[in-house]
Amino acid sequence: MDPKDSRFSTQISHLALDIGGTLIKVVYFSPNGDNCEDGSIVVGNGCSVVKGRLCFAKFETRKIDDCIEFIRFNILQHSGVQHPNGTARDKFSVKATGGGAFKFAELFKDKLGIVFDKEDEMHSLVCGVNFLLKTVPREAFTYLDGQKEFVQIDHNDLYPYLLVNIGSGVSMIKVDGDGKYERISGTSLGGGTFLGLGKLLTKCKSFDELLELSHQGNNRVIDMLVGDIYGGTDYSKIGLSSTAIASSFGKAISDGKELEEYQPEDVARSLLRMISNNIGQIAYLNALRFGLKRIFFGGFFIRGLEYTMDTISVAVHFWSRGEAKAMFLRHEGFLGALGAFTSYKDQSHSNDLKPHHHTMQRAVLKCSGDDNFRHTPVTGNLNDGEAIECSISLV
């Protein structure tokens, strides 16, 4: 293999972004596995196959300049298309979704020379979930009472299902098939609420810091439980245990304490429990409304945190009397970005990063039934929330 061959001179291709109110999610394909040495192109049966990885990165939207520098260094500079002023030598388009694709379009154009090819947010979410469920082994799982179990997805019996995407706010989407979906509900109490109230109440500066703090807390110090009302006993007549939360933050009413007298970790824990319970209950009520048994939860609010998943699962299990299950996704935070990534179509780009991208542009993983696209099922190991080993057929 000639290391100077133009097909191998870049390590990153096909970038897609999902720019939300709180976080920016980035997905890109690395033919060399993000600096791995096992990337290769294999030719067989009349088509070529590029092996590599789908890689993931995230940035806080308030620190959008970090994302811009990441793209400038990892894509423009390493791909040899960067102008001395730091922008692309020629304008080129990048798939983008989310409200920030509109809000920050001029910023990316001015600083990087990137033009956003905008994809609808809801469509991208659904396409991203369908891609994961159809293509990635051991992607979906349940988590209840400390037990994680992977779910075998029957591609012939996937639909309908409810997608609950927890971002800054929450969208609930009924999915009936490829390209067939409807946003049926949502709530403004989501990840943005958790971070916003958390910053005001605990002085934490970031989502990760607030989540880490919540690990150490005890919500029962602040939440009013059924047992607090019933003298430590259950309210068994209506199925409420003594440990069930009767009122989030309810003890603050009678404790006579100021905010400074509570431990910030207990406040964070109570806040996390309140929002997770609320989302789980609303999700199930919408599933009940449409007769849906499968509920998939996604979005960076969850982040694989066991306590959050268990809270959501318990809420769904309680309200459904065990008839419905909450299911989670290993790459939960990148649904929109993945959906945007799969939307690359067969089109001529005179401004692609490298000449061979004219061919690869026709071969990006595609979730729809369009015969012009083929995707090879993902094989190999997965890194939770990081990379997916895959291959792309050039047809």
Side-chain angles (χ1 to χ4, degrees):
M1 180 186 301
D2 183 359
K4 295 183 178 180
D5 190 320
S6 64
R7 292 175 298 172
F8 303 96
S9 59
T10 180
Q11 294 185 346
I12 292 178
S13 69
H14 291 88
L15 170 74
L17 299 94
D18 177 7
I19 309 177
T22 306
L23 292 172
I24 302 172
K25 288 75 68 176
V26 181
V27 175
Y28 57 92
F29 180 73
S30 174
N32 294 320
D34 201 19
N35 295 321
C36 292
E37 297 179 355
D38 58 351
S40 63
I41 292 182
V42 181
V43 179
N45 298 325
C47 68
S48 300
V49 176
V50 179
K51 293 183 178 180
R53 291 182 180 178
L54 289 180
C55 301
F56 304 83
K58 71 178 188 297
F59 306 87
E60 290 186 59
T61 305
R62 67 188 180 93
K63 297 180 179 179
I64 196 168
D65 284 343
D66 290 347
C67 178
I68 289 173
E69 288 307 309
F70 172 83
I71 295 173
R72 189 196 312 278
F73 178 79
N74 288 285
I75 297 176
L76 301 188
Q77 179 176 321
H78 281 200
S79 298
V81 299
Q82 182 173 309
H83 193 275
N85 67 6
T87 63
R89 296 183 185 276
D90 298 298
K91 293 290 189 291
F92 64 94
S93 65
V94 164
K95 293 290 184 179
T97 189
F102 296 87
K103 183 176 181 179
F104 299 110
E106 288 302 315
L107 179 66
F108 276 77
K109 184 177 179 180
D110 292 342
K111 289 201 171 186
L112 295 176
I114 288 177
V115 177
F116 283 160
D117 183 4
K118 304 178 185 68
E119 295 293 329
D120 178 75
E121 184 174 357
M122 294 296 115
H123 181 79
S124 294
L125 285 171
V126 173
C127 194
V129 175
N130 286 343
F131 164 70
L132 289 172
L133 293 177
K134 292 179 178 181
T135 313
V136 181
R138 296 167 64 86
E139 175 66 31
F141 62 93
T142 59
Y143 191 93
L144 186 62
D145 296 330
Q147 297 297 315
K148 179 178 181 178
E149 294 184 7
F150 286 99
V151 179
Q152 183 66 37
I153 300 298
D154 182 354
H155 298 171
N156 297 317
D157 189 32
L158 174 59
Y159 310 109
Y161 67 80
L162 181 67
L163 169 62
V164 181
N165 189 65
I166 313 171
S168 298
V170 183
S171 286
M172 301 187 184
I173 307 167
K174 181 169 73 77
V175 182
D176 293 308
D178 286 325
K180 298 178 182 178
Y181 59 89
E182 176 186 4
R183 185 183 188 274
I184 58 174
S185 187
T187 172
S188 62
L189 305 182
T193 311
F194 176 63
L195 179 57
L197 283 176
K199 290 180 70 174
L200 292 174
L201 296 173
T202 70
K203 308 304 180 184
C204 285
K205 300 300 183 183
S206 70
F207 203 101
D208 290 327
E209 182 183 358
L210 187 59
L211 279 179
E212 182 61 33
L213 185 67
S214 72
H215 290 181
Q216 310 162 27
N218 179 6
N219 68 292
R220 297 182 183 186
V221 174
I222 300 177
D223 292 342
M224 182 182 293
L225 309 182
V226 169
D228 296 324
I229 301 173
Y230 280 83
T233 64
D234 300 336
Y235 188 180
S236 55
K237 185 176 181 178
I238 60 174
L240 293 177
S241 69
S242 62
T243 57
I245 298 174
S247 175
S248 296
F249 289 88
K251 284 183 181 174
I253 299 172
S254 56
D255 278 349
K257 297 180 180 179
E258 298 296 325
L259 176 61
E260 293 75 16
E261 297 179 74
Y262 289 100
Q263 295 299 315
E265 58 266 30
D266 297 335
V267 174
R269 187 78 160 194
S270 179
L271 183 60
L272 180 63
R273 189 69 180 261
M274 178 182 72
I275 293 175
S276 300
N277 265 329
N278 185 63
I279 293 171
Q281 181 178 359
I282 295 175
Y284 169 67
L285 292 176
N286 277 283
L288 178 66
R289 175 185 168 200
F290 290 95
L292 306 174
K293 298 298 183 182
R294 281 168 295 223
I295 309 174
F296 293 100
F297 290 85
F300 254 117
F301 173 75
I302 301 171
R303 301 202 183 190
L305 184 63
E306 295 176 353
Y307 185 76
T308 305
M309 293 188 294
D310 195 64
T311 300
I312 292 173
S313 295
V314 167
V316 171
H317 185 270
F318 175 83
W319 290 106
S320 71
R321 300 182 185 276
E323 293 184 4
K325 287 186 177 181
M327 289 181 278
F328 305 95
L329 303 166
R330 293 177 64 184
H331 294 83
E332 60 201 9
F334 296 92
L335 306 182
L338 274 168
F341 184 91
T342 63
S343 68
Y344 277 104
K345 296 182 181 295
D346 183 6
Q347 53 190 335
S348 175
H349 287 282
S350 59
N351 51 12
D352 281 330
L353 298 183
K354 286 293 175 184
H356 73 282
H357 288 188
H358 292 297
T359 305
M360 288 185 62
Q361 193 71 32
R362 303 171 52 205
V364 174
L365 298 165
K366 188 67 176 177
C367 293
S368 73
D370 189 341
D371 290 336
N372 291 326
F373 296 88
R374 304 194 311 152
H375 66 260
T376 303
V378 173
T379 58
N381 298 323
L382 289 88
N383 300 314
D384 288 337
E386 295 180 1
I388 297 177
E389 293 184 5
C390 61
S391 57
I392 295 181
S393 298
L394 306 184
V395 293

